[in-house]
Amino acid sequence: MRSSRSPVSRALGPAVLAALLLTPTAAASASAAPGDGDSPSLPGMSATLAEGRPCTAKSAKKSALTPWAQGFLGVGRAWELSRGAGVKVAVVGTGADTSRVPALEDRVTGGRDVVAGGTVRDDCVGYGTFLAGLVAGRPQEGVAAAGVAPEARVVAVRATDKEGRTTPGALADGIRAATASGARIIHVALAVPSAPQKLKDAVAAARKADALVVAPASAREWEGGSGSSRAENGPAYPAALPGVLAVSSVGPDGAPPAGDTDQGRRTRPRLSAPGVAVTGPGPGGDGQFTGSGDAVAGAFVAGTAALVLSYHPGLSAEQVAHRLEATAYGAVGGTPDPGVGLGVVDPVRALSAVLPEEHASPPSASDARAASAARAVPPLAPPTARDHALAVVGGAVAVTLLVAFLAFVLPRGRRRGWRAGPAGDPPRRRTEPFASEPAPVVTRPTPVSARPMPVVAGLSPPAAGPRPSSPGPRLRSPGPRPPSPH
């Protein structure tokens, strides 16, 4: 029995089915928040170990997904300009596992152990290994996670005891050891509640050697690990010292964690970077961990500084810090926000922006416009949020086009037998009547042989009989008569 549905309704059936199949896919890709890309099953990495606890065991888990922090910062685009080659970064913390972590192979070397003596070769806590991987971890097959500056070199300096705790004096010795190693960027991945003169002098010596010092804006990781009261407010050092680039952490939404600025020792940050549920390597092997905190955010800033210094090798440490601040994502004016400072570090803009103050001669008009745009960027949604929104819109448009194709183009193609007509072809005339119309009456002309011959005066009608089968010879009409001789 033939279906009574129209071609359009028959085409909408598979179209709607296709829409139902495709729409959840687009929605799922959009609903996956950036932070959801990091597997929650990975073990966590803490900044300290509880007293009597054994060293951090290696992780047996890895994730093939791109960590949300890498997409948030756009490091893949930044690598088109710089990968940090030729820059040395010192990480002052718990040390580093320099021999068993594939991500750190040919990237990290052991520096001084200013607490136990000797050279750093291991990392009982694992926090220094984790941070070194965020700065310069090399890409690995089957793993999307990598350091911000994968071609930079890291010197791991230990300034803690076995459990990851430090003192202002040990921290000062660690900063001096990092300066002596020749590092241009020093990431102090520790915080203490006071700054004796020894610590102030160590920071001043690093600045005099043209090294950029990056430090966490808060001390909550170490306060919580040691059982100290989180209600004890005040500045965190060395972040509060002059010339130190204090960094705070933000989550996938670009905002600091809830309650992050309410309690504990904290210094007003200058910059912020991802520091919530971040994926990175750990000690003992190729397994991965997730870590959080302002020191984690500082690793991303230190890695970005390495990219900038590799791409602009003539800049001083102060100029590198200024470039990072002037091009921060969301930077408007010169007053830092209590939560995020001047904004979130932006590796691509930090590399590509033209800043007039870095030029000895006045810049061109185009450079000045680019610099003005770099200095004043209105706050926007996180880059990955825009990407997911565009993905949803693109998926919806694709579904709409598919529905239109199945509903209108497909039936017309079937009616035409999938034959394309020539351009400008007039519509075909209907040659058969509809069943409801009467057949047209066709009047045929009378044959010439059956028509009566006209009667002309003076001529006799032709005799009846068969007509000759062929005409006779044609007679030439006479031409004009010659003129008479008379």
Side-chain angles (χ1 to χ4, degrees):
M1 179 177 177
R2 186 175 181 181
S3 173
S4 60
R5 294 188 303 165
S6 66
V8 173
S9 64
R10 290 197 301 269
L12 283 177
V16 172
L17 177 60
L20 292 176
L21 291 175
L22 292 178
T23 302
T25 303
S29 64
S31 63
D36 296 339
D38 296 354
S39 173
S41 64
L42 296 177
M45 175 64 68
S46 61
T48 59
L49 294 176
E51 188 173 355
R53 179 184 171 184
C55 295
T56 302
K58 72 175 184 178
S59 171
K61 298 181 179 181
K62 293 187 293 184
S63 174
L65 301 177
T66 301
W68 75 266
Q70 287 185 208
F72 185 92
L73 296 177
V75 294
R77 298 190 298 273
W79 288 343
E80 299 176 5
L81 300 176
S82 173
R83 298 174 71 89
V87 179
K88 182 183 291 186
V89 182
V91 176
V92 181
T94 61
D97 188 341
T98 60
S99 60
R100 298 181 297 170
V101 183
L104 305 187
E105 184 179 354
D106 298 328
R107 295 293 186 271
V108 179
T109 57
R112 280 185 56 198
D113 184 339
V114 300
V115 174
T119 302
V120 172
R121 292 184 175 86
D122 55 14
D123 182 8
C124 183
V125 179
Y127 201 58
T129 303
F130 183 83
L131 298 179
L134 297 182
V135 173
R138 59 192 295 269
Q140 304 173 74
E141 185 176 356
V143 177
V148 179
E151 293 183 5
R153 295 295 183 267
V154 173
V155 178
V157 177
R158 179 180 291 134
T160 68
D161 59 15
K162 186 177 179 180
E163 287 79 24
R165 296 172 181 83
T166 189
T167 63
L171 193 55
D173 293 338
I175 295 174
R176 285 193 177 275
T179 304
S181 71
R184 290 291 310 277
I185 300 163
I186 302 174
H187 176 30
V188 183
L190 300 165
V192 291
S194 62
Q197 191 61 43
K198 183 178 181 180
L199 181 57
K200 296 178 181 178
D201 292 343
V203 171
R207 295 182 60 192
K208 186 176 180 180
D210 201 22
L212 174 63
V213 181
V214 180
S218 71
R220 65 181 184 274
E221 292 91 348
W222 299 273
E223 291 175 341
S226 61
S228 301
S229 173
R230 290 288 300 274
E232 184 181 358
N233 296 327
Y237 296 96
L241 294 177
V244 177
L245 189 58
V247 180
S248 65
S249 60
V250 296
D253 58 353
D260 186 56
T261 61
D262 297 338
Q263 54 186 350
R265 293 193 173 274
R266 181 178 177 83
T267 297
R268 184 182 290 266
R270 297 291 299 178
L271 284 176
S272 57
V276 177
V278 173
T279 299
D286 60 354
Q288 292 180 313
F289 294 78
T290 58
S292 302
D294 290 356
V296 172
F300 285 110
V301 172
T304 303
L307 296 179
V308 171
L309 199 54
S310 177
Y311 193 69
H312 301 280
L315 297 182
S316 65
E318 185 177 353
Q319 288 175 316
V320 171
H322 171 70
R323 175 171 280 270
L324 295 178
E325 294 176 352
T327 60
Y329 190 80
V332 285
T335 303
D337 179 85
V340 298
L342 292 171
V344 180
V345 67
D346 189 337
V348 176
R349 288 172 56 81
L351 289 169
S352 59
V354 178
L355 303 182
E357 52 270 31
E358 292 179 356
H359 298 269
S361 58
S364 63
S366 60
D367 290 349
R369 286 193 298 269
S372 176
R375 289 196 304 270
V377 183
L380 299 173
T384 49
R386 296 198 306 271
D387 295 342
H388 284 289
L390 291 176
V392 172
V393 173
V397 171
V399 170
T400 303
L401 293 177
L402 179 60
V403 170
F405 174 80
L406 295 177
F408 301 103
V409 179
L410 189 60
R412 291 176 62 86
R414 287 176 176 173
R415 287 199 301 269
R416 297 182 63 91
W418 301 107
R419 293 191 302 270
D425 188 20
R428 252 194 289 182
R429 298 177 58 186
R430 182 162 50 85
T431 58
E432 297 180 0
F434 290 115
S436 60
E437 295 181 356
V441 179
V442 180
T443 304
R444 300 181 180 278
T446 305
V448 177
S449 58
R451 297 178 185 176
M453 295 297 293
V455 178
V456 181
L459 295 178
S460 300
R467 301 182 66 181
S469 58
S470 61
R474 297 178 62 183
L475 300 179
R476 178 180 300 178
S477 60
R481 293 183 179 183
S484 174
H486 303 286

